[in-house]
Amino acid sequence: MLGWRDDRQLAEVLPAKEAKALKSAFGYTRCWQVLEHYPRRYARHGEGTDLAAVEEGDVVTTIGVVERVEFIDKGKHKIFRFHVADQSGGRFVATYFNAGYVARVLTQGARAIFSGKVTHFRGQAQMQHPDYLVLTGPGKEKQPATGSLKALNEYGSLHELLGDREWIPVYPASAKISSWRIMGAVWEILETLPKIPEPLDYHPFGMPSFDQAIRLIHAPDERGPDGPLLRLKYNEALGLALAMALRRADNLEHRAPELPRIDAGLHTALLESLPFPLTEGQQQMLGQVSGDLSRARPMSRLLQGEVGSGKTIVALLAMLQAVDNGRQCAMLVPTEVLAAQHARSLTRTLAAAGSSATVVALTGSMPTAAKREALLNIVSGQVDIVVGTHALIQDTVEFFDLGFVVVDEQHRFGVEQRDQLRSKGRGDFTPHLLVMTATPIPRTIAMTVFGDLAISTLRELPGGRKPIQSALVPEARPAWVARAWSRIREEILAGRQAYVVCPRIEGEGGVLEMHEHLQNELFPDLSVGLLHGRLRGEEKDAVMADFSRGGIDVLVATTVIEVGVDVPNATVMLVRESELFGVSQLHQLRGRVGRGGHESLCLFHTLALPGSTSFDRVSAVAATSDGFELANLDLAQRQEGDVLGTSQSGTARTVKLLNLLEDYPVIERANEDAALMVGRDRARAERLVADIEEQARQYLEKN
Ligand code: ADP
Ligand code: MG
């Protein structure tokens, strides 16, 4: 929590049994951890949950009034059926077997909380033996609570706790500890907590104070939880915004080598010998990057460009500008296949332009001798450009004089990783940084997670490109499946190449099986290649190089080819079982074709049935090739955790309530306030952020 934390030990505040249960269920030992365990939702008197719409077997907590009691005497079994109405008009039946005492408390007109598993019988929602707590009615004094609700007794009077609450918090619970016990613990912690002074030096206008917010989020008053929620989200957003504003301010203080464009250098030579004119977008981008590089302040730029928009050549030209100034460049890529491909094509492009710049690849699976030689050449300055996977980040990699870092396909790397690579500059110099991604980033994420980067966008595809045709190939239509294979053969007869992408290596429908099937049965007269993540580095390289040279007609591959792979002669792709891939992934895969001047085709095979959500998802991808549109669709379907990526874990952990995709207004406001605060009192901003980092660290250590 930004600027404040209740550091009391749980064991000091709660009954020993309860403190222990919280520790074993969630690992919590301090009060702030329980206070940050926010309600998942609220059961509200007068509103209730729509029980008819609840999934079979869900555990639900709701408040209702007993309308009618039905007694069925089956001799051996006495059944009580309580017909309960919540005030929204929803109804359900609570059934108890052989439990006469219940009827004495849950009399007609009694108002109670019910908590239990919901089942449906003939359209009627039912709960069998739900736990209950009588709020008003004659039973209040006799037998006020049962089951998990009884646990609240630990905390004294149930009625003080629950009696006139309108919003009952429902907490993320576990088998070890129920929502009620968490509620009791929170209540006790708040009861014994003195008023919290405002942790920021101002009170955000129109929001509750922090003290109010933390109390009301757990026990909303009649105005409901929106106010406290907004305030706590604001604090979370401010934490992220301060971190980013500080990074920006920090960046301004670092010095980078000035790398101006040199007229008679490698940069110009390549520019003049390119086989194609740069698109307007590429020129603009290059202009910006080139300008940034010439300054003594480190560039921090994010280039987001549609798949196939030609980012690599822009990066290469920029790198040569740095090389012209005698500096080294590092390009970080997410896969070994991509590292090898970039190294190969950079070398080829440079050779074609008669350039003397040297390129080397560095990956984790390189043979030791080759790696040692590469490392030596890097540290001695023999190599100008290093393309590598995360192996590049390791401590053993030292540069002679690193001036410029390019990160390709940013979504696979986090802040920490790009910082690590950036720390390898010479002396006090911070290398310039260009981050590239083909996954468009929504503005809220851009502000929070990439808030320290200037953003440029490249939407245009190079001229002469024909749009990629997409088609669905449902497994249920054998004629279409057959047609898909014959389309592939036609392309190959016309001199083109094909990808067949499978979702797995082994087993039915895996690349091994598919490769055998195609080579032995469907295409015995063609050359069918195989590529997957379990091959050794050199094997992968050899296959990719062969495919790239045209030696392989059909490449059967897993998603190792998902990002960045560039073989312009490949014009058709068949994705098997597309429903198993996400939207962005399908779009990225499709981007492997349509990279030359030929008509291209992407066939999305699917086992999903028409009408299912997975079928719809695949159809949506087939219907448009606008990456920005698809990115929004994709984000709408994913959790922020995914959006942030695992490497952003520190961030994810400090954000519990904020929805990074939807809470734009509060994120924007926090960003404005953070910029002001960093400008006015940087030390204070640093202290605030250090607090949350400390918290994230403690949390990490405990887990
Ligand atoms: P991405 O932006 O997806 O990384 P690449 O940089 O791999 O795209 O470029 C895709 C293909 O387009 C490559 O084969 C590249 O040589 C080619 N290309 C790049 N710029 C142009 C251009 N201005 N005109 C024609 N082809 C281009
Ligand atoms: Mg690329």
Side-chain angles (χ1 to χ4, degrees):
M1 285 176 188
L2 194 63
W4 176 84
R5 192 162 71 186
D6 185 350
D7 254 333
R8 292 177 297 164
Q9 298 272 2
L10 287 179
E12 288 168 34
V13 182
L14 303 179
K17 190 158 115 293
E18 300 305 294
K20 228 189 223 147
L22 283 163
K23 172 138 193 242
S24 89
F26 304 112
Y28 297 160
T29 54
R30 305 266 175 177
C31 288
W32 63 266
Q33 294 171 308
V34 177
L35 290 179
E36 250 188 24
H37 191 93
Y38 300 119
R40 186 156 47 85
R41 58 180 191 83
Y42 302 86
R44 189 181 174 195
H45 179 55
E47 205 176 56
T49 318
D50 183 4
L51 290 181
V54 162
E55 298 257 349
E56 194 75 7
D58 272 3
V59 174
V60 162
T61 296
T62 188
I63 302 172
V65 174
V66 177
E67 285 193 324
R68 184 161 67 84
V69 186
E70 194 183 343
F71 173 62
I72 303 163
D73 192 350
K74 291 218 161 153
K76 224 163 57 184
H77 294 297
K78 319 241 179 284
I79 305 172
F80 290 91
R81 288 168 53 87
F82 298 88
H83 295 256
V84 184
D86 62 37
Q87 287 189 352
S88 66
R91 286 185 163 66
F92 66 96
V93 177
T95 307
Y96 296 85
F97 298 93
N98 303 329
Y101 65 92
V102 183
R104 286 194 292 278
V105 260
L106 285 180
T107 50
Q108 192 175 336
R111 190 166 73 93
I113 296 175
F114 295 88
S115 179
K117 211 179 260 177
V118 175
T119 56
H120 298 272
F121 181 66
R122 292 196 184 131
Q124 169 88 72
Q126 315 238 6
M127 287 194 212
Q128 282 196 7
H129 279 261
D131 297 332
Y132 63 81
L133 167 67
V134 182
L135 297 173
T136 52
K140 213 173 120 171
E141 312 310 324
K142 293 183 215 154
Q143 165 73 18
T146 59
S148 61
L149 288 166
K150 257 190 193 160
L152 283 174
N153 280 323
E154 288 285 342
Y155 298 103
S157 162
L158 288 177
H159 291 91
E160 202 180 320
L161 208 66
L162 281 171
D164 40 287
R165 284 201 197 203
E166 187 175 345
W167 301 76
I168 309 284
V170 179
Y171 290 96
S174 85
K176 287 180 183 158
I177 187 160
S178 69
S179 173
W180 300 110
R181 287 173 75 182
I182 299 168
M183 176 174 157
V186 170
W187 185 76
E188 187 68 30
I189 290 170
L190 288 176
E191 275 295 290
T192 52
L193 178 68
K195 184 165 191 280
I196 310 166
E198 189 57 55
L200 309 177
D201 51 7
Y202 59 95
H203 179 155
F205 176 75
M207 297 184 195
S209 70
F210 184 75
D211 178 72
Q212 283 278 295
I214 204 75
R215 290 173 199 276
L216 289 174
I217 193 85
H218 291 290
D221 61 16
E222 65 287 349
R223 287 167 298 180
D226 288 352
L229 191 60
L230 179 67
R231 173 61 209 267
L232 295 176
K233 280 183 174 183
Y234 172 83
N235 273 38
E236 289 186 353
L238 189 68
L240 294 177
L242 283 172
M244 287 303 153
L246 284 168
R247 282 180 70 89
R248 283 195 303 268
D250 207 42
N251 203 37
L252 292 181
E253 279 168 13
H254 280 101
R255 251 164 50 80
E258 288 169 48
L259 310 172
R261 242 190 77 177
I262 290 176
D263 270 344
L266 300 170
H267 173 93
T268 319
L270 177 60
L271 200 54
E272 281 169 359
S273 66
L274 280 182
F276 44 71
L278 291 181
T279 65
E280 214 164 288
Q282 283 172 316
Q283 289 177 29
Q284 242 174 40
M285 204 64 59
L286 187 59
Q288 277 175 348
V289 173
S290 183
D292 286 354
L293 284 173
S294 67
R295 286 182 204 112
R297 196 157 280 160
M299 158 165 76
S300 290
R301 186 172 288 281
L302 172 69
L303 162 50
Q304 52 174 336
E306 181 61 275
V307 189
S309 58
K311 296 184 287 294
T312 317
I313 193 71
V314 174
L316 178 55
L317 284 162
M319 287 196 285
L320 289 183
Q321 181 172 328
V323 173
D324 282 337
N325 283 278
R327 308 286 169 158
Q328 290 174 299
C329 304
M331 186 170 194
L332 181 63
V333 302
T335 64
E336 299 201 340
V337 170
L338 200 51
Q341 175 194 283
H342 275 346
R344 214 170 25 241
S345 77
L346 293 183
T347 308
R348 197 179 334 113
T349 314
L350 290 170
S355 160
S356 57
T358 48
V359 180
V360 73
L362 189 75
T363 63
S365 74
M366 264 167 96
T368 323
K371 191 189 260 172
R372 194 172 312 131
E373 192 190 331
L375 289 174
L376 211 63
N377 287 336
I378 297 168
V379 73
S380 64
Q382 304 290 308
V383 162
D384 299 310
I385 299 174
V386 188
V387 186
T389 54
H390 55 269
L392 256 182
I393 297 170
Q394 282 158 13
D395 294 339
T396 46
V397 184
E398 276 178 58
F399 288 82
F400 177 69
D401 193 355
L402 180 63
F404 182 27
V405 170
V406 177
V407 181
D408 198 11
E409 304 302 344
Q410 151 75 27
H411 60 292
R412 307 294 175 93
F413 298 103
V415 179
E416 299 90 346
Q417 285 160 317
R418 57 183 203 239
D419 282 355
Q420 266 167 318
L421 190 48
R422 231 183 169 179
S423 69
K424 292 179 187 282
R426 187 178 191 173
D428 291 339
F429 278 132
T430 300
H432 295 282
L433 172 74
L434 177 67
V435 169
M436 306 199 290
T437 176
T439 307
I441 295 163
R443 55 185 184 160
T444 48
I445 302 284
M447 263 186 160
T448 43
V449 185
F450 302 112
D452 57 332
L453 304 179
I455 299 186
S456 331
T457 305
L458 183 57
R459 293 192 76 144
E460 176 190 12
L461 296 183
R465 292 280 174 82
K466 310 229 168 54
I468 306 168
Q469 302 294 321
S470 300
L472 276 185
V473 183
E475 176 75 9
R477 308 291 285 267
W480 297 18
V481 176
R483 177 74 190 120
W485 293 120
S486 59
R487 278 295 286 123
I488 289 179
R489 176 178 285 281
E490 285 162 21
E491 285 298 311
I492 290 168
L493 292 181
R496 308 278 87 82
Q497 292 163 276
Y499 295 100
V500 174
V501 179
C502 304
R504 62 191 76 86
I505 299 179
E506 309 256 10
E508 203 181 327
V511 279
L512 300 178
E513 190 200 71
M514 185 56 67
H515 175 255
E516 199 172 302
H517 172 64
L518 294 185
Q519 186 66 91
N520 298 337
E521 290 160 45
L522 272 185
F523 305 131
D525 51 328
L526 305 179
S527 152
V528 183
L530 175 65
L531 187 67
H532 58 76
R534 248 196 272 140
L535 296 177
R536 276 181 298 123
E538 319 87 279
E539 292 173 315
K540 278 188 262 185
D541 285 359
V543 174
M544 254 343 275
D546 197 11
F547 186 62
S548 180
R549 268 196 310 268
I552 292 172
D553 298 312
V554 181
L555 182 62
V556 180
T558 55
T559 53
V560 289
I561 58 141
E562 179 186 342
V563 288
V565 167
D566 184 44
V567 179
N569 192 46
T571 53
V572 58
M573 167 176 285
L574 171 65
V575 184
R576 299 279 307 173
E577 302 175 52
S578 336
E579 71 279 5
L580 299 180
F581 301 101
V583 172
S584 287
Q585 216 177 1
L586 290 174
H587 182 58
Q588 286 281 344
L589 281 169
R590 172 170 55 192
R592 298 314 112 213
V593 295
R595 301 176 83 82
H598 313 287
E599 294 266 5
S600 294
L601 175 66
C602 187
L603 300 160
F604 295 107
H605 164 264
T606 178
L607 298 177
L609 297 174
S612 65
T613 41
S614 9
F615 190 90
D616 291 348
R617 191 174 65 234
V618 179
S619 311
V621 178
T624 176
S625 51
D626 182 337
F628 285 76
E629 193 178 313
L630 288 172
N632 283 335
L633 181 72
D634 194 26
L635 288 166
Q637 294 180 350
R638 286 194 299 168
Q639 302 286 319
E640 297 88 89
D642 282 343
V643 178
L644 292 175
T646 44
S647 46
Q648 311 285 352
S649 47
T651 314
R653 227 164 256 116
T654 51
V655 171
K656 294 199 155 174
L657 297 170
L658 193 65
N659 182 326
L660 289 185
L661 297 177
E662 287 167 8
D663 291 323
Y664 184 71
V666 72
I667 289 173
E668 189 180 35
R669 184 166 162 189
N671 269 274
E672 285 163 10
D673 294 350
L676 283 176
M677 195 193 288
V678 169
R680 200 172 50 215
D681 187 352
R682 181 150 163 199
R684 175 170 182 75
E686 270 160 5
R687 250 185 344 264
L688 281 171
V689 172
D691 270 2
I692 14 179
E693 271 163 13
E694 163 74 359
Q695 197 167 319
R697 198 182 53 72
Q698 281 190 6
Y699 190 97
L700 273 175
E701 278 168 8
K702 225 167 283 124
N703 286 269

